[in-house]
Amino acid sequence: MSGLHDTHAYSWQALTYEAGRDGGYADHTDCEHAADLLGRGERMATLLVYLTDDFDGGETEFPKLGLKVKPPVGSALLFYNFGPGWGGRACSAEAAHRSNRVTRGSKVVLQRWHSYQEQPFLAGRPILSQRGRRPFQPVVSCDYVSGLRTNVSCRWYNSDVPWTTA
C-alpha cells in the first residue's frame, strides 16, 4: 500500500481517541532530534490509516506546515520524519504533528512506523508477557502527559495476530 517494506516496519498499532476521555496527543515528532536516519530503529516514515471518520475535531495537524487533515475512513496518510528534503538525514522539525482533541465520537487510527534500515525482527517482535494474559487477549498501553488528568493515546497490541503479510 505505501511502497515501504514490511522488513523495515514496526508492528501496527491501533490508536483510539474518545470524546470526553482523551486530550488528543501533544505536538511531537516520530524521530529523536539527535537521530541520524541511518541509525538502527530510527522511524523514517509514519503511516496512518483512518478507520473512522464519524467524529468532530481530532484532526491530524502539522503546525509548522499550517496543515490540518481529517481524511475519510479508509484513507491513509504517509509522511517522512527526516529532512530537509528527500536527502536529509536529520529528524525534521517540520514533521512535528499532533492529534487534536476529539469533541464528538471516536477516532480510530492504525499507525505503523518504518525505518530506513531493514530490520526483520521489528514487525514480529513479541510483546513482553503479561501476567494473566490469555491467548489472543490484547495488551493496551496508554500514554499520559504530565499535568493532564485524562489519558492521551492508547495503543492496542496483540502479539498473537500476524499484522504483516509474507
Side-chain angles (χ1 to χ4, degrees):
M1 169 170 49
S2 67
L4 300 170
H5 299 283
D6 282 344
T7 57
H8 295 243
Y10 286 73
S11 295
W12 286 100
Q13 299 175 54
L15 311 178
T16 62
Y17 303 92
E18 298 284 338
R21 184 193 75 183
D22 300 317
Y25 201 97
D27 291 15
H28 66 285
T29 60
D30 288 342
C31 52
E32 299 294 326
H33 291 288
D36 182 326
L37 173 64
L38 300 181
R40 204 165 266 300
E42 293 301 332
R43 300 172 186 164
M44 174 188 74
T46 301
L47 177 64
L48 301 175
V49 180
Y50 294 81
L51 301 182
T52 59
D53 62 3
D54 187 24
F55 58 88
D56 293 331
E59 304 88 359
T60 302
E61 184 172 357
F62 296 83
K64 293 195 184 276
L65 300 175
L67 178 66
K68 285 184 187 181
V69 295
K70 185 181 172 191
V73 68
S75 297
L77 173 65
L78 174 67
F79 57 93
Y80 288 87
N81 299 307
F82 286 81
W86 290 106
R89 287 180 48 180
C91 184
S92 175
E94 291 182 345
H97 58 284
R98 65 176 166 243
S99 179
N100 292 329
R101 178 187 299 267
V102 173
T103 57
R104 182 195 60 83
S106 176
K107 174 183 175 182
V108 181
V109 177
L110 284 179
Q111 172 180 274
R112 193 171 203 194
W113 294 308
H114 292 263
S115 68
Y116 182 79
Q117 299 283 348
E118 181 175 349
Q119 300 183 56
F121 301 109
L122 279 180
R125 73 175 182 264
I127 302 299
L128 293 177
S129 177
Q130 301 270 328
R131 185 176 170 185
R133 182 178 175 270
R134 295 183 210 125
F136 296 99
Q137 180 182 6
V139 175
V140 177
S141 172
C142 296
D143 296 334
Y144 293 84
V145 171
S146 177
L148 294 180
R149 296 175 62 187
T150 61
N151 65 302
V152 175
S153 172
C154 293
R155 293 181 171 95
W156 173 302
Y157 299 93
N158 188 342
S159 59
D160 300 312
V161 177
W163 290 95
T164 60
T165 57

